[in-house]
């Protein structure tokens, strides 16, 4: 209804969410090292995903 054709998200590289997103049909687009911070302040990589609607 909103006219969207693609969704994009990112999550911690190597985290449990990656398996969930892949099982749900999301496609990995690439990773960026040291892109985000964990709750304890450490840097972590981020993987970007997309899904065609």
């Amino acid at each position: 209804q909103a006219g969207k054709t693609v969704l994009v998200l990112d999550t911690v590289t190597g985290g449990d969410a990656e398996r969930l997103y892949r099982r749900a049909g999301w496609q990995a687009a690439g990773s960026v090292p040291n892109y985000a911070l964990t709750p304890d302040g450490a840097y972590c990589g981020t993987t970007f995903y997309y899904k065609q609607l």
Side-chain angles (χ1 to χ4, degrees):
Q1 290 178 341
K4 306 297 183 200
T5 59
V6 65
L7 300 175
V8 177
L9 63 81
D10 66 277
T11 190
V12 174
T13 301
D16 293 336
E18 283 195 288
R19 287 187 300 261
L20 173 72
Y21 294 133
R22 287 183 179 175
R23 282 191 297 239
W26 291 80
Q27 300 293 312
S31 297
V32 179
N34 299 319
Y35 180 77
L37 294 173
T38 61
D40 66 1
Y43 283 100
C44 64
T46 298
T47 301
F48 289 86
Y49 286 85
Y50 69 93
K51 188 172 189 179
Q52 297 288 335
L53 300 178

